[in-house]
Amino acid sequence: MWTVGLKYGGKKPDDRIRELKRGRKAFMPSPRTVLLSLVCFLTVGCGSSRQISLDIQPDQAEYYARGNHIVGSMKDNSVIAMYSFSERVWINSTARFNILLKNIGEEPTVFSIDNITAEVLNDAGEEPLHVRIYSYDELVKKAERSAAIGAVFAGLEYWGNITQASKAGYSHTEGSFSGPEGYGTYTQTTYDPAAEQAARAVADDELKSDLAEIEHDKQERISSLSSILRKSTVFPGMILSGEIRVAIPEKVGESASLIFLIDAAGDTHMVVFLLDEVAGR
């Protein structure tokens, strides 16, 4: 069980966001940065990542558990604890976070991703970017869609193998001859149905193996979603913990804030992560 001790106080989340906007310096990209961005854009497989770290607010506590840097926020009726699963997130990809809610109020409360909103703030003069939080059902559909795409490619590969198998039974021999009537070259084609059947059998086995592996991977991905935060009633004194996965927007600056606003038991908590350019990139 996680225990968080801190004193309630501080400013409202809306005031905090305005302070963050005022505190962000405008970023003017250098020509070298523009050139590198263009190269990355034109180069297949060139990714971009950001170092992620907690921005602890004055009325929040920080602590560590099993190597994770955790923020704790206490309000009148609830305690929230949150951390990132990794120290780096990839742009235009999925990032994973763990969130814990303890109900210290007197009434039960229902909690789910519907109680969480997220946005990325680049510079003070820019509008925040909406950050999508995936539901359990959406993540299951993503796993199923990925498996379906994999099956399509496996089918295409099978079609290619079958095409080659249809040619496997044929063999061609070329040679030359000479005799009293002259000389020349010849081409001889023979067909062995057993060779074609053997090649087709190999293609069939490969397809079955590929489809089985795709199905296994899909089931593993779905099984890994058991820790995803899902709608639950949290009774007084009880704790709910779960994982949330968010889509990091493509247009994230070299220095930005990822802001979570969490409504729990009538309280509003704000958790801020800093997204900074990875050193050496």
Side-chain angles (χ1 to χ4, degrees):
M1 179 182 296
W2 295 348
T3 303
V4 182
L6 66 162
K7 183 179 179 181
Y8 170 77
K11 299 179 181 180
K12 296 180 179 179
D14 289 344
D15 296 334
R16 288 281 178 75
I17 293 177
R18 283 194 290 270
E19 287 184 357
L20 286 170
K21 288 183 176 180
R22 287 196 298 268
R24 282 287 176 190
K25 296 182 180 179
F27 170 70
M28 296 297 291
S30 66
R32 178 177 180 273
T33 302
V34 173
L35 178 59
L36 289 176
S37 299
L38 180 60
V39 171
C40 282
F41 179 77
L42 295 175
T43 304
V44 176
C46 181
S48 179
S49 63
R50 297 291 182 271
Q51 196 80 21
I52 184 168
S53 59
L54 278 166
D55 185 12
I56 306 297
Q57 304 302 304
D59 63 339
Q60 296 177 342
E62 64 176 318
Y63 57 102
Y64 291 86
R66 296 181 179 179
N68 297 306
H69 187 199
I70 304 171
V71 59
S73 173
M74 176 180 284
K75 301 294 183 183
D76 291 340
N77 299 310
S78 59
V79 175
I80 289 291
M82 191 171 181
Y83 66 86
S84 169
F85 275 94
S86 65
E87 297 179 350
R88 179 181 295 191
V89 296
W90 293 91
I91 302 304
N92 200 27
S93 186
T94 302
R96 301 169 57 211
F97 300 86
N98 194 79
I99 186 168
L100 176 146
L101 163 67
K102 181 174 183 180
N103 185 355
I104 59 175
E106 299 180 354
E107 300 291 334
T109 186
V110 176
F111 191 71
S112 70
I113 64 168
D114 295 334
N115 298 87
I116 307 171
T117 58
E119 59 186 23
V120 165
L121 180 64
N122 282 319
D123 297 319
E126 297 184 8
E127 288 297 319
L129 302 175
H130 172 72
V131 175
R132 181 178 182 179
I133 303 176
Y134 292 107
S135 68
Y136 173 83
D137 291 338
E138 287 176 321
L139 292 170
V140 169
K141 289 180 180 178
K142 284 183 66 177
E144 292 174 342
R145 185 166 55 249
S146 177
I149 293 173
V152 169
F153 281 103
L156 291 174
E157 182 181 5
Y158 174 72
W159 178 82
N161 291 339
I162 286 296
T163 301
Q164 293 299 318
S166 65
K167 303 176 183 178
Y170 293 91
S171 60
H172 305 279
T173 303
E174 294 181 355
S176 60
F177 65 89
S178 62
E181 298 181 357
Y183 64 91
T185 61
Y186 69 90
T187 300
Q188 182 180 6
T189 300
T190 58
Y191 173 67
D192 181 3
E196 178 179 348
Q197 189 60 35
R200 286 181 177 271
V202 171
D204 290 342
D205 289 342
E206 287 185 357
L207 177 63
K208 291 178 182 178
S209 177
D210 289 343
L211 293 179
E213 184 176 353
I214 290 170
E215 179 64 22
H216 176 74
D217 290 344
K218 183 188 76 173
Q219 293 303 327
E220 277 199 338
R221 290 183 63 182
I222 293 177
S223 296
S224 71
L225 301 177
S226 60
S227 61
I228 295 296
L229 179 67
R230 303 172 73 178
K231 181 178 289 187
S232 302
T233 299
V234 187
F235 292 93
M238 300 297 291
I239 292 176
L240 173 67
S241 178
E243 177 187 342
I244 61 174
R245 299 185 185 183
V246 306
I248 301 298
E250 184 177 359
K251 298 180 180 179
V252 174
E254 294 188 358
S255 182
S257 296
L258 174 59
I259 304 169
F260 291 92
L261 293 179
I262 305 160
D263 294 324
D267 301 325
T268 300
H269 304 259
M270 185 177 71
V271 175
V272 181
F273 291 88
L274 301 179
L275 304 177
D276 296 307
E277 185 180 22
V278 178
R281 286 188 60 87

